[in-house]
Amino acid sequence: MEVRFWGTRGSIPAPGPETLEFGGNTTCVEVTLASGRRVIIDAGTGLRLLGNELQARGEPVHLHLLLTHNHWDHLLGLPFFQPLYREDTEILVDGWPLAFQAMTRVFDDHMGDGFFPVAFDQLQARITFINRVARGPLVLDGVHIQALPLNHPQGCLGFRFRENGRGLVFITDNELGQKGGRPWQDFVHFVQGADLLIHDAQYLPEEIEGHRGWGHSTFAEVVQLARDAGVRRVLLTHHDPGRSDAQVQHLVARARELAAGTAPELLDAAREGAVYPV
Ligand SMILES: [Zn+2]
Ligand SMILES: [Zn+2]
């Protein structure tokens, strides 16, 4: 498997000279399986750039789109995803059960809701909601994809991919330390032994108490999870829109300091455009 980040920012796009290194587009991750099949996680504004690249290749687009949840920073890229306007595009949508309805609402509803001039049923692509992964593993070309409901307002799903003994876990919009939420051990079990863990680290430890119940985590909680689950490659994501590149670098330095002793092979912040083998 290979992972490519098209968007790493949380909450709202944050373009500008201060976010060039880690990127300003909201969540969109491309997972390419060994078979060549493409699975896209989330449709944040990074999806527009992926669409441009697919369009430039000129080949018919066939992909799975896994939506973690309905929040707009994870859906905003959809109307600007060029392959949606082509008849030879086929998209199978899976993930959060309410996400299909949510993705249609990003478009016009024929009632003049004013969000976007084009209605969902005017899109040329074939779009099918398969609603599989939330009810049990989704198997694609021998790769097992499992979902875990997370601690997030209105809900969210994390995903684990298993391919030939290799494991990739993608968890965004999750509050590891939510009081009364899913217990810590559930996360340890889900992440256990993964080769790469990608996890939300929007807030600093000194910020989190003011944001309890907002559904996000700190680098310190992610480092602890990686330690408890025996994971040695970790990427932090869903960067706060107010966090400059220098501040993200500082966050990573603090995370590495905290992890010293367990010496992870990789502990970094996800960068827009970066590619990681799993
Ligand atoms: Zn988000
Ligand atoms: Zn969210």
Side-chain angles (χ1 to χ4, degrees):
M1 278 179 290
E2 190 180 80
V3 180
R4 181 165 178 181
F5 289 92
W6 293 93
T8 60
R9 194 62 53 175
S11 308
I12 193 164
E18 299 283 288
T19 57
L20 291 176
E21 183 178 352
F22 296 98
N25 281 298
T26 63
T27 306
C28 180
V29 173
E30 177 183 14
V31 182
T32 308
L33 309 185
S35 65
R37 190 192 292 266
R38 214 177 252 115
V39 180
I40 310 304
I41 306 175
D42 278 348
T45 59
L47 185 71
R48 183 179 66 86
L49 306 174
L50 169 63
N52 293 349
E53 182 173 300
L54 295 173
Q55 190 80 349
R57 284 189 204 164
E59 301 158 5
V61 172
H62 297 268
L63 51 81
H64 273 73
L65 175 61
L66 299 184
L67 296 171
T68 60
H69 66 313
N70 294 357
H71 287 159
W72 70 336
D73 52 316
H74 299 259
L75 297 173
L76 270 175
L78 272 171
F80 299 93
F81 185 54
Q82 289 303 321
L84 287 181
Y85 301 90
R86 291 175 60 130
E87 278 176 7
D88 56 358
T89 297
E90 179 165 30
I91 300 179
L92 299 173
V93 184
D94 204 340
W96 185 247
L98 298 174
F100 189 62
Q101 203 188 2
M103 74 183 271
T104 64
R105 286 201 295 260
V106 176
F107 296 86
D108 183 49
D109 64 353
H110 296 293
M111 305 280 278
D113 70 0
F115 287 131
F116 195 68
V118 178
F120 186 77
D121 60 15
Q122 291 170 327
L123 299 173
Q124 275 129 330
R126 275 167 296 147
I127 304 169
T128 311
F129 192 54
I130 57 176
N131 195 13
R132 179 77 193 81
V133 74
R135 295 181 288 129
L138 167 69
V139 182
L140 298 175
D141 302 337
V143 179
H144 286 241
I145 307 173
Q146 280 174 286
L148 181 75
L150 305 174
N151 294 331
H152 196 62
Q154 296 148 349
C156 188
L157 289 179
F159 300 113
R160 178 168 181 141
F161 291 64
R162 290 171 206 265
E163 179 180 79
N164 299 326
R166 305 288 291 174
L168 161 69
V169 176
F170 180 85
I171 297 179
T172 190
D173 295 60
N174 182 43
E175 187 167 342
L176 284 167
Q178 184 184 299
K179 289 173 190 68
R182 178 173 286 285
W184 182 261
Q185 262 327 105
D186 283 15
F187 293 112
V188 174
H189 181 72
F190 190 69
V191 171
Q192 196 80 48
D195 296 281
L196 177 64
L197 166 66
I198 303 164
H199 199 289
D200 175 319
Q202 180 156 354
Y203 296 120
L204 302 175
E206 59 270 32
E207 294 169 341
I208 192 76
E209 287 314 318
H211 297 91
R212 279 287 170 219
W214 290 33
H216 300 287
S217 299
T218 69
F219 67 81
E221 291 165 325
V222 179
V223 165
Q224 186 61 46
L225 176 63
R227 190 178 278 152
D228 290 356
V231 177
R232 302 198 58 236
R233 294 171 77 218
V234 181
L235 291 168
L236 309 169
T237 193
H238 208 270
H239 311 313
D240 191 86
R243 196 95 59 214
S244 68
D245 287 333
Q247 289 168 330
V248 175
Q249 280 168 0
H250 185 61
L251 181 157
V252 170
R254 288 178 62 188
R256 286 178 181 162
E257 203 177 320
L258 191 66
T262 50
E265 212 178 290
L266 171 74
L267 176 53
D268 206 349
R271 283 174 173 74
E272 193 174 307
V275 178
Y276 295 87
V278 181

